[in-house]
Amino acid sequence: MCAMRIVPSPTGEMCMPAKIVRGNDPEQDCMNFIFPIDEEWACRLYNVAVPDYMGTLDIVPHQVPGSTNNASYEVSHTLLIEKKCIFNKFFANDFHRENNCVVMTGSGFPDVNSIAFVKFMELSIGSQVQGLCDNNPFGVLLLKSYQHTKYELALHNMLKTDVGWLGWNPAFGNAFPQVHQTAGYSVTDERVLDHLLDSRNQFVLHQGQNKPKYASAARTAFRQNQMQIMRQTRGKCNLDDIPTQPLLTAVRFIFGQGRNAYEGKF
């Protein structure tokens, strides 16, 4: 593979209204450029095997242009987007700058570096990561993959992140009826939905010693209700089928309600 110049590359990408500073290395301007999510985030999260050349890492918010009192952006939450093409739309429309947030994608089901980055941001910012996915069983399954990783058990508790189901879901669709859904579930879709509704996998669980970090009875009821509606209507809505401006308006509306957007906002 090396002779053919085939090398692995990170699948995750991110942007935020901040710059990353590592000692004397050149700053990374994450507000105006997209950066890949590489193994550095996993190394720093584990606090092991951090190469000396990496040095320290600081996330420094950019100053607001034209501010008379040197005000800076406040990086206050993280938006996880399922698809890279949707992530590109959010970056191109300066969503991260306008809403003081980290915007990232794992480009579909994530690699370990993307999972580690999501956990790193949750710990650094102190608020729940919010997920934006297709309104279908596999979109929801993708959010669950950050909560239940396939990696070594010893690293499981360090990696897993309880990602919020911000949208797209039936409640989201009711609030924005101009976005149309298509009908039709496969047998595989039904099986995935059964799996998600099973409380043993913790996606809907709100009780017990191993309950997810942000779990509550209200959230459990909301998730169960939304997935039952999905089963009854058998409706699907892919993010790339939604016009850019209605999608941005919907997510801006939720983020505008406060620091910690929550499921069931509508």
Side-chain angles (χ1 to χ4, degrees), residues 99-165:
N99 296 275
N100 294 318
C101 65
V102 179
V103 180
M104 64 86 57
T105 181
S107 301
F109 281 88
D111 61 5
V112 65
N113 298 329
S114 299
I115 294 174
F117 179 80
V118 167
K119 186 63 177 181
F120 190 96
M121 287 297 108
E122 180 195 46
L123 295 174
S124 299
I125 296 174
S127 64
Q128 185 182 20
V129 176
Q130 296 297 321
L132 183 65
C133 64
D134 288 342
N135 181 22
N136 60 47
F138 279 94
V140 184
L141 184 65
L142 179 137
L143 300 186
K144 176 182 172 290
S145 69
Y146 286 86
Q147 183 178 316
H148 285 258
T149 71
K150 61 181 179 293
Y151 301 103
E152 294 296 330
L153 185 62
L155 302 176
H156 178 79
N157 287 330
M158 192 178 298
L159 278 174
K160 68 179 184 179
T161 306
D162 185 11
V163 176
W165 186 13

Side-chain angles (χ1 to χ4, degrees), residues 211-222:
K211 70 177 182 178
K213 181 176 180 179
Y214 297 97
S216 67
R219 191 182 81 168
T220 292
F222 173 78

Side-chain angles (χ1 to χ4, degrees), residues 157-188:
N157 287 330
M158 192 178 298
L159 278 174
K160 68 179 184 179
T161 306
D162 185 11
V163 176
W165 186 13
L166 179 70
W168 203 268
N169 50 44
F172 222 127
N174 291 338
F176 296 89
Q178 68 269 37
V179 177
H180 299 289
Q181 297 191 88
T182 57
Y185 270 18
S186 67
V187 174
T188 305

Side-chain angles (χ1 to χ4, degrees), residues 1 9 17 30 37 41 47 57-58 84 90 110 121-122 134 149 156 158 215 219 224-225 229 236 265:
M1 291 181 67
S9 61
C30 299
I37 300 171
W41 300 97
N47 200 27
L57 180 146
D58 292 303
K84 183 176 179 179
F90 275 65
M121 287 297 108
E122 180 195 46
D134 288 342
T149 71
H156 178 79
M158 192 178 298
R219 191 182 81 168
Q224 289 175 332
N225 172 261
I229 293 174
K236 294 182 178 181
K265 177 74 70 175

Side-chain angles (χ1 to χ4, degrees), residues 13-18 29-37 75 77-79 81 87-88 90-92 94-97 101-105 117 121:
E13 294 183 334
M14 62 85 175
C15 59
M16 66 179 96
D29 179 3
C30 299
M31 183 162 71
N32 298 302
F33 299 94
I34 294 172
F35 283 93
I37 300 171
V75 183
H77 40 265
T78 302
L79 176 64
I81 299 177
F87 166 83
N88 290 338
F90 275 65
F91 173 76
D94 281 335
F95 186 91
H96 56 299
R97 189 194 320 243
C101 65
V102 179
V103 180
M104 64 86 57
T105 181
F117 179 80
M121 287 297 108

